[in-house]
Amino acid sequence: MKLSIIIPVYCVEATIDRCLESVVGQTFSDFEVLLVDDGSPDRCPQKCDEWARRDSRVRVIHKENGGLSDARNAGLDMARGEYVTFVDSDDSLSADCYEQVMPLAEHADIVEFPLIRFYGSPKQKLIVFPQAEYTDMAQYWLNAHAYEHCYAWNKVYRSTMFINLRFPVGRVFEDVAMLPLLLGKARKVVTTSHGLYYYYVAEDGITSTATGRELSMLLDAHLAVLPQWTDSRYYMHVLNIQLDVCRQTGCKPLLHHMAVSPLAAGLTLNQRLKAIAINIIGIKGLCRLYRKRHNPS
């Protein structure tokens, strides 16, 4: 079997059929679907079983609720494919997505393909990648700005990448923590302009509702990478997260100061102004100003 498609399922009664119709309807057919019912309290368990009866490629894992990472890990434990990928059960795929991507996977450890972010909303945005190969993971992380799209689901992975490697249970923004670990094992990453993942907007999703504690987990994931891979644009990306953490928690910043030229390539105007600020008043000073501006009371 070529591909294992792992789909965590929890409280998605309204969207799971749309998701699975796009998956089982793929023009590429050499795959299995692992539906991981993460103790969903609605009709999702029954819907999963119905899909398994309808299509022999669909297998169902029923388990107690453990969160997204735990569900993905349960799927990895049961996956039989030479390659593995993930789909969130409120999203969908273009009909020929894996037919476009799988030939490239034969020559890579990870293949990343395009997505439409916040599909169906005013914030909808198409993110397309150039046809490129990376054998230097620092170049992929920094030059391809991989840190801005660490999503687990718009990628196909060689299954051996997950030997002795699992998603961190109990954490949010687990994709950001996981991708650098996978890159530590990868020899080649390929990006492509073919294939398409539809990432639907979720008003109650973690990206929209993250608390200070949850953003701290995102910050921790990036702080673990910075000593290994750093440039001005990435540092300013992490600085923005640090500012949000300080604003929401009032905690002292954990990000160490790095001198950033306001003229560094690729910085936005906002980032250039922040670069000037940290070079004058430091991160602590900028955090205080940011907190005062957004929490005036």
Side-chain angles (χ1 to χ4, degrees):
M1 182 178 301
K2 210 67 175 175
L3 180 65
S4 292
I5 305 171
I6 298 172
I7 307 178
V9 177
Y10 185 78
C11 290
V12 286
E13 199 174 331
T15 62
I16 188 172
D17 289 333
R18 178 188 69 198
C19 172
L20 286 170
E21 284 166 4
S22 78
V23 172
V24 302
Q26 288 290 301
T27 52
F28 175 86
S29 60
D30 188 9
F31 62 79
E32 65 174 355
V33 178
L34 295 166
L35 294 178
V36 185
D37 163 33
D38 192 33
S40 189
D42 57 5
R43 289 193 63 253
C44 282
Q46 294 90 333
K47 281 181 168 285
C48 288
D49 290 337
E50 289 169 7
W51 274 98
R53 287 192 291 270
R54 289 165 57 180
D55 194 314
S56 61
R57 297 171 299 179
V58 177
R59 290 195 287 152
V60 181
I61 302 168
H62 295 290
K63 60 181 287 295
E64 292 184 0
N65 180 252
L68 179 58
S69 287
D70 195 52
R72 284 176 175 166
N73 292 342
L76 287 169
D77 291 342
M78 299 293 290
R80 300 178 297 196
E82 184 180 352
Y83 299 87
V84 65
T85 191
F86 303 92
V87 177
D88 282 357
S89 46
D90 51 357
D91 296 335
S92 61
L93 301 158
S94 61
D96 64 347
C97 182
Y98 295 136
E99 182 180 11
Q100 296 286 330
V101 172
M102 288 306 297
L104 299 171
E106 299 280 354
H107 310 288
D109 295 307
I110 302 173
V111 179
E112 181 172 33
F113 55 92
L115 64 130
I116 298 181
R117 181 183 169 112
F118 301 138
Y119 181 68
S121 83
K123 296 189 295 181
Q124 176 175 308
K125 181 180 180 181
L126 175 64
I127 301 175
V128 179
F129 306 103
Q131 204 72 31
E133 294 184 358
Y134 299 89
T135 55
D136 182 337
M137 296 305 116
Q139 186 181 43
Y140 170 63
W141 186 256
L142 298 173
N143 295 359
H145 312 133
Y147 53 84
E148 295 179 350
H149 37 85
C150 290
Y151 314 114
W153 31 253
N154 73 320
K155 300 171 182 70
V156 170
Y157 313 82
R158 197 175 297 275
S159 293
T160 53
M161 298 290 291
F162 289 95
I163 294 175
N164 298 322
L165 196 57
R166 290 294 185 268
F167 287 90
V169 176
R171 293 188 58 162
V172 295
F173 297 108
E174 66 290 329
D175 296 354
V176 181
M178 187 63 160
L179 183 56
L181 299 178
L182 290 164
L183 295 180
K185 301 177 71 173
R187 291 173 296 178
K188 181 188 289 187
V189 174
V190 169
T191 61
T192 179
S193 59
H194 300 293
L196 188 60
Y197 187 101
Y198 295 95
Y199 170 26
Y200 286 75
V201 65
E203 297 299 335
D204 59 348
I206 186 63
T207 304
S208 305
T209 64
T211 65
R213 175 179 173 273
E214 291 161 341
L215 286 173
S216 293
M217 296 183 191
L218 175 61
L219 177 63
D220 287 344
H222 283 294
L223 291 178
V225 179
L226 270 174
Q228 180 181 8
W229 301 325
T230 312
D231 65 8
S232 296
R233 179 167 170 170
Y234 179 43
Y235 182 84
M236 298 306 294
H237 176 84
V238 180
L239 174 65
N240 283 338
I241 300 169
Q242 177 67 86
L243 291 173
D244 284 333
V245 171
C246 287
R247 175 177 63 85
Q248 292 207 32
T249 68
C251 294
K252 293 181 179 179
L254 298 176
L255 178 64
H256 294 301
H257 178 268
M258 183 179 95
V260 176
S261 170
L263 302 178
L267 297 186
T268 64
L269 175 60
N270 193 9
Q271 289 173 330
R272 296 185 194 282
L273 294 174
K274 288 176 181 175
I276 294 172
I278 61 172
N279 289 338
I280 297 173
I281 62 175
I283 295 176
K284 288 183 180 179
L286 184 58
C287 281
R288 283 194 295 268
L289 286 176
Y290 194 78
R291 191 161 58 244
K292 185 174 182 180
R293 176 186 174 190
H294 290 275
N295 303 318
S297 58

